[in-house]
Amino acid sequence: MMPRTPGADLPEHPDWLWHSPDPKPSYDVVIVGGGGHGLATAYYLAVNHGITNVAVLERGWLAGGNMARNTTIIRSNYLWDESAGLYEHALKLWEGLEEELDYPLLFSQRGVLNLAHSLQEVRDGVRRVNANRLNGVDAEWLDPHQVAEICPILNTSDELRYPVLGATWQPRAGIAKHDHVAWAFARALDRMGVDLIQGCEVTGFDRVGDRITGVRTSRGDIAAGKVALAAAGHTSVLADELGLRLPIQSHPLQALVSELLEPVHPTVVMSNSVHVYVSQAHKGELVLGAGIDAHNSYGQRGAFHTIEREMTAAVELFPMFARAHVLRTWGGVVDVTPDASAIMGLTPFEGLYVNCGWGTGGFKSTPGVGWCYAHTIACDEAHPLNAPFSLERFTTGALVDEHGAAGVAH
Amino acid sequence: MMLIPCPWCGPRNETEFHYGGQADVAYPSDPQSISDEDWAHFLFFRDNPKGIFTERWSHAAGCRRWFPVRRDTVTNEIHPDDSARAARTVTR
Ligand SMILES: Cc1cc2nc3c(=O)[nH]c(=O)nc-3n(C[C@H](O)[C@H](O)[C@H](O)COP(=O)(O)OP(=O)(O)OC[C@H]3O[C@@H](n4cnc5c(N)ncnc54)[C@H](O)[C@@H]3O)c2cc1C
Ligand SMILES: [Zn+2]
């Protein structure tokens, strides 16, 4: 499951996987944001709907936003039917993606443990396992001994301030190498004639009444039959240009990695209440993340006290980590919604589509988002899997309250 | 780590505070009569600017009072003059 020599199974860094064309005057579809979601959406627009006169506009460099900053945990063990449908669809796509894109994504189904530290968390966990099974999602409830068998380095003694009382276990969950996912999509798109345009910031929209007809960018105006937002934490900035209010708040979310270590950590461990999540990357770094910083921010950095709390939790759960050195810390800008679920669908503007609010957990959905969002754009109606995630749910009250299963206290 | 200016106690470490989101969100004056859309906007929709944001902080580990702060959400720069002007407790 883990490489013997750290890094042994990493391919060489690619020289040239895609071109950097100048923007054309017009496209059938313009996608704003060249992260995983924008790239996957363009991919399924081409593959599932035959639409290739498409540009993906990225203000920075391709996939340099949250795509390059996340801790790459992939799972589908969400509580509600709506979420299980979407994330499980994504997980099934992940399972065939490496072959389909013919590129090593290092998708490793090493399983995920979601720890419970209180009786309430035990009840919630057991309930979620049952809900998962009813939805065809693999899930088991494990007692502390079974947890220790899967992850021997985890402190499962009852001496802890918040002892491990059990865990949910999804064996098909895991991690993938995020850069490679982006590169693989980009290479496939380039071959299909889709324009990937970097250093191109969208600053506004052209419209005729309530119909969007194009975008204004730092590299000139571009006409578009349809405009699809995939700008993650920056979606409010774009929507403000149209006076469109969205129920999202942008927060810093930080992560960090240790120096390279021999393989010690065989799975993914997440804890909601002491709040840390940890896996070990293929090369050998321990990859740690926790919750958002409380305040709104577009600064791509957070405060040290958040890291300190996360490290406290990590060292208590994994005493051996106390001797590991932190190599790097960084932050992303994530868009958090009131019900901890994404927003995906049509907008009050004709020809404008929105995909945002994935907050702290949208990497795992990347292929699923691409699939459903491409359908929404091509057919002008939501795919059944993303229909529950419309903007209207905040008015109708049909919220998809995933605070418990989202895995991160927003 | 931010140094947040409590109007009563002076500048203190961010860890002493609790974040309250956007300031000056008014409770609907006639809740019985407003539309579902307006309720949704009151409950779930807040400004999310890239730039100056007027937000509330509570000095939870100090005087425990709420006050507004004008902060740049990109640089974290705080505009103290403006926040002192509007400092007040929240009674509800
Ligand atoms: C520290 C951290 C850890 C995380 N861990 C996980 C995890 O373990 N598992 C998981 O599932 N998810 C995780 N996430 C969340 C996940 O990264 C995001 O939900 C997901 O990446 C969002 O979709 P995206 O990939 O398209 O976003 P991004 O990669 O951020 O793409 C948006 C792109 O839009 C561009 N853009 C913005 N504004 C404009 C504009 N005006 N014009 C042109 N381009 C623009 C940005 O530069 C950016 O590249 C984590 C996030 C962070 C920050
Ligand atoms: Zn005070």
Side-chain angles (χ1 to χ4, degrees), chain A residues 28-29 45 49 51 210-212 225-228 344-354 372-384 386:
Chain A
D28 292 341
V29 179
L45 269 177
H49 305 279
I51 301 173
D210 279 347
R211 179 170 176 78
I212 303 298
K226 298 177 174 190
V227 175
M344 200 174 165
L346 309 178
T347 69
F349 293 91
E350 202 185 328
L352 182 75
Y353 310 84
V354 68
C372 295
Y373 200 29
H375 177 103
T376 306
I377 298 160
C379 308
D380 265 310
E381 65 176 11
H383 186 280
N386 66 294

Side-chain angles (χ1 to χ4, degrees), chain A residues 32-39 57-75 78 87 200-203 230-235 237-238 252-255 277 289 300 330-335 355 358-366:
Chain A
V32 185
H37 287 194
L39 294 169
L57 308 183
E58 167 55 50
R59 74 186 178 117
W61 63 95
L62 199 93
N66 293 326
M67 186 61 169
R69 294 160 197 270
N70 73 76
T71 49
T72 79
I73 299 169
I74 296 168
R75 59 190 178 93
Y78 282 69
Y87 288 107
C200 181
E201 179 166 19
V202 173
T203 54
H234 276 78
T235 311
V237 179
L238 287 160
L253 180 67
Q254 306 186 72
Y277 37 93
Q300 288 188 325
W330 66 88
V333 182
V334 299
D335 45 350
N355 166 57
W358 292 91
T360 59
F363 173 69
K364 63 179 70 62
S365 64
T366 300

Side-chain angles (χ1 to χ4, degrees), chain A residues 33-186:
Chain A
H37 287 194
L39 294 169
T41 302
Y43 177 77
Y44 289 109
L45 269 177
V47 170
N48 291 358
H49 305 279
I51 301 173
T52 53
N53 183 20
V54 174
V56 180
L57 308 183
E58 167 55 50
R59 74 186 178 117
W61 63 95
L62 199 93
N66 293 326
M67 186 61 169
R69 294 160 197 270
N70 73 76
T71 49
T72 79
I73 299 169
I74 296 168
R75 59 190 178 93
S76 64
N77 56 354
Y78 282 69
L79 175 64
W80 300 107
D81 296 352
E82 295 88 345
S83 320
L86 194 50
Y87 288 107
E88 177 60 15
H89 179 60
L91 183 48
K92 288 200 174 109
L93 290 172
W94 279 114
E95 286 173 327
L97 205 58
E98 197 157 66
E99 207 172 327
E100 174 164 352
L101 297 174
D102 189 26
Y103 197 79
L105 306 180
L106 306 185
F107 176 52
S108 159
Q109 290 177 291
R110 57 184 66 184
V112 64
L113 290 165
N114 289 88
L115 306 181
H117 302 275
S118 67
L119 283 178
Q120 186 57 47
E121 276 195 316
V122 170
R123 291 183 201 108
D124 290 344
V126 172
R127 177 187 178 200
R128 183 142 59 86
V129 163
N130 291 331
N132 288 162
R133 287 186 171 178
L134 288 171
N135 278 316
V137 175
D138 56 320
E140 285 168 53
W141 177 256
L142 305 184
D143 67 27
H145 299 289
Q146 294 168 305
V147 171
E149 267 167 39
I150 288 175
C151 190
I153 59 170
L154 185 67
N155 186 353
T156 47
S157 81
D158 52 15
E159 308 284 283
L160 290 183
R161 170 87 175 80
Y162 299 106
V164 175
L165 301 182
T168 67
W169 169 238
Q170 183 179 21
R172 283 165 61 243
I175 57 173
K177 187 122 175 81
H178 44 12
D179 295 333
H180 288 220
V181 177
W183 297 342
F185 276 125

